[in-house]
Amino acid sequence: MDNETVFYRELPKVELHAHLNGSVSSQTIEKLIGRKPHLNIEHSMTAIGKGQLRTLDECFEVFKVIHKLVDTEEDILMVATDVIKEFAADGVKYLELRSTPREEKDTGLTKRSYIETVINAIQQCKSEGVDIDVRFLVAIDRRNGTEVAMETVKLAEDFMLSSDGLVVGLDLSGDPTVGHGKDLLPALQRAKNSGLKLSLHLSEVPSQLEETDLLLNLPPDRIGHGTFLHPAVGGSQSLVDKVVKNNIPLELCLTSNVKGSTVARYSDHHFKYWYQLGHPSVICTDDKGVFCTDLSQEYHLAASTFGLSRADMWKLSQQAIDCIFAPEAVKQQLKQKWNDLHPQVFK
Ligand code: 5GP
């Protein structure tokens, strides 16, 4: 490993935007394929390699293939424990995983047992002493409409109260070209009122000014992507002003956006805009398995693309602590951890 690679691996990091089924590594996919050879799924169908580009539609097709491979409690337990351990091995000290609870009639999987299994995986890793604090966001897939969104919020509320602080919020994701945010507003409002934190995928594709404006009024606690918020790419100053005024952090995923073709080149990535503004921006992976990356690589990529120093990248990872959904005491513990690790990382 070269010097730079070692630095970014050792840099303590916070991962706030990681979809569980998009984060499955090639090793875990091999194990899943071994469990289900009859599906005839090849690894090339579940990952987008170096230099490959896809449309966003094609990316969503990849998730469907992975969902076929992950359809029992046993699969979810394996996937979640593997993903957590991989993030820990990459130097991630705090992780918020998100996932859309699914029901599978054939295997008896229910939405409730889906969430319970992810929670079990988190607890199992903790009991094994894996050095990472993991929390969970229950995801709403916007394709599934109003009723499912409300049902998901109710489930998330139950788990927020019964999971010993592990379920901290709600994610809104799924194909951004399907459905409209206004139909999901009552569910999101209810979630907010009950104390769930909200991370919403917003302006991931162009021409969603009206929807974004509506959802920004909630306001959400964090924004996923926000690729088309600013005026230069067809967004607007008033959207930017709302984000800035409410100090809503952005979760930014460079490789995902370039491979999914919503950003043409790394140097065009909106990280630059928000970073220059001094707005809280957190580098994340999105789907480390599908996009063949990890958080160390994303930090390294941001530094090399935008000419940032190691000290700048340390500051970015440290500032991400203020954007987590876990309570203040956890932020303090993490800040202490960063202080303790500083001499070792800059040795
Ligand atoms: P899961 O929720 O099954 O654990 O993870 C896969 C799901 O996350 C996908 O089906 C999709 O709903 C969501 N997802 C993953 N990556 C993206 C992304 O880049 N944009 C959006 N809007 N949704 C995503």
Side-chain angles (χ1 to χ4, degrees), residues 287-341:
D287 299 291
K288 74 175 180 61
V290 170
F291 297 116
C292 305
T293 187
D294 58 31
L295 194 55
S296 306
Q297 288 184 55
E298 295 300 301
Y299 268 77
H300 197 164
L301 184 60
S304 58
T305 306
F306 302 106
L308 303 177
S309 68
R310 289 184 178 194
D312 294 330
M313 299 317 285
W314 174 275
K315 207 168 157 199
L316 259 181
S317 91
Q318 194 174 38
Q319 285 170 341
I321 298 171
D322 282 319
C323 306
I324 71 172
F325 286 166
E328 191 53 39
V330 178
K331 292 182 186 171
Q332 292 312 324
Q333 284 164 15
L334 290 172
K335 285 177 184 173
Q336 184 60 49
K337 191 168 240 173
W338 260 241
N339 284 343
D340 295 344
L341 288 169

Side-chain angles (χ1 to χ4, degrees), residues 19-22 60 63 67 98-100 114 141 143 173-174 176 201 204 225 286-287:
H19 298 271
L20 179 61
N21 285 296
F60 284 105
F63 297 124
H67 285 160
R98 55 185 74 190
S99 194
T100 325
Y114 187 108
D141 185 330
R143 284 170 286 203
S173 54
H201 284 61
E204 190 179 358
H225 303 299
D286 205 6
D287 299 291

Side-chain angles (χ1 to χ4, degrees), residues 6-52:
V6 172
F7 172 79
Y8 287 105
R9 178 75 53 85
E10 287 189 348
L11 178 69
K13 294 172 289 293
V14 167
E15 167 67 80
L16 300 181
H17 190 128
H19 298 271
L20 179 61
N21 285 296
S23 300
V24 187
S25 65
S26 56
Q27 292 88 326
T28 308
I29 290 283
E30 292 304 331
K31 291 193 269 180
L32 290 164
I33 289 175
R35 280 182 182 182
K36 297 180 172 74
H38 58 281
L39 291 176
N40 287 324
I41 291 174
E42 287 168 26
H43 196 195
S44 60
M45 297 153 78
T46 65
I48 303 169
K50 197 171 161 51
Q52 295 184 326

Side-chain angles (χ1 to χ4, degrees), residues 16 39 57 61 63 102 106 121 133 155 172 195-196 211 290:
L16 300 181
L39 291 176
D57 272 355
E61 289 305 312
F63 297 124
R102 256 181 304 132
D106 291 348
D133 186 330
L155 259 181
L172 173 65
L196 286 159
E211 177 187 283
V290 170

Side-chain angles (χ1 to χ4, degrees), residues 70-235:
V70 184
D71 67 349
T72 66
E73 284 176 29
E74 208 185 353
D75 297 334
I76 293 165
L77 188 68
M78 177 175 78
V79 161
T81 46
D82 283 3
V83 165
I84 291 169
K85 288 176 184 176
E86 287 154 5
F87 273 114
D90 188 38
V92 174
K93 301 297 177 197
Y94 176 91
L95 162 68
E96 282 176 19
L97 267 182
R98 55 185 74 190
S99 194
T100 325
R102 256 181 304 132
E103 178 182 87
E104 296 285 351
K105 293 246 159 52
D106 291 348
T107 68
L109 183 71
T110 65
K111 292 184 178 183
R112 189 169 284 276
S113 68
Y114 187 108
I115 301 176
E116 277 164 359
T117 308
V118 177
I119 291 173
N120 285 344
I122 297 173
Q123 285 165 335
Q124 199 172 305
C125 289
K126 199 171 177 178
S127 69
E128 287 175 25
V130 183
D131 181 22
I132 184 168
D133 186 330
V134 186
R135 309 288 162 143
F136 186 54
L137 310 182
V138 181
I140 293 177
D141 185 330
R142 52 183 290 148
R143 284 170 286 203
N144 297 332
T146 315
E147 267 174 49
V148 174
M150 194 54 95
E151 185 194 316
T152 309
V153 169
K154 288 179 187 163
L155 259 181
E157 284 172 357
D158 283 355
F159 281 101
M160 179 179 62
L161 299 173
S162 65
S163 65
D164 218 0
L166 295 183
V167 171
V168 287
L170 205 73
D171 154 73
L172 173 65
S173 54
D175 189 340
T177 62
V178 180
H180 195 290
K182 69 172 181 307
D183 301 327
L184 308 170
L185 211 50
L188 297 173
Q189 189 65 65
R190 175 179 166 144
K192 196 173 166 69
N193 293 346
S194 64
L196 286 159
K197 300 281 189 184
L198 296 183
S199 169
L200 309 182
H201 284 61
L202 285 185
S203 282
E204 190 179 358
V205 292
S207 313
Q208 290 193 316
L209 278 74
E210 186 207 330
E211 177 187 283
T212 301
D213 190 56
L214 197 69
L215 294 176
L216 278 178
N217 288 339
L218 279 160
D221 299 282
R222 289 197 314 252
I223 292 171
H225 303 299
T227 315
F228 296 93
L229 281 170
H230 58 295
V233 287

Side-chain angles (χ1 to χ4, degrees), residues 1 9 17 69 71 104 114 184 219 256 275 277 281 347:
M1 251 194 281
R9 178 75 53 85
H17 190 128
L69 283 170
D71 67 349
E104 296 285 351
Y114 187 108
L184 308 170
S256 163
Y275 185 78
L277 219 55
S281 308
K347 61 187 174 289

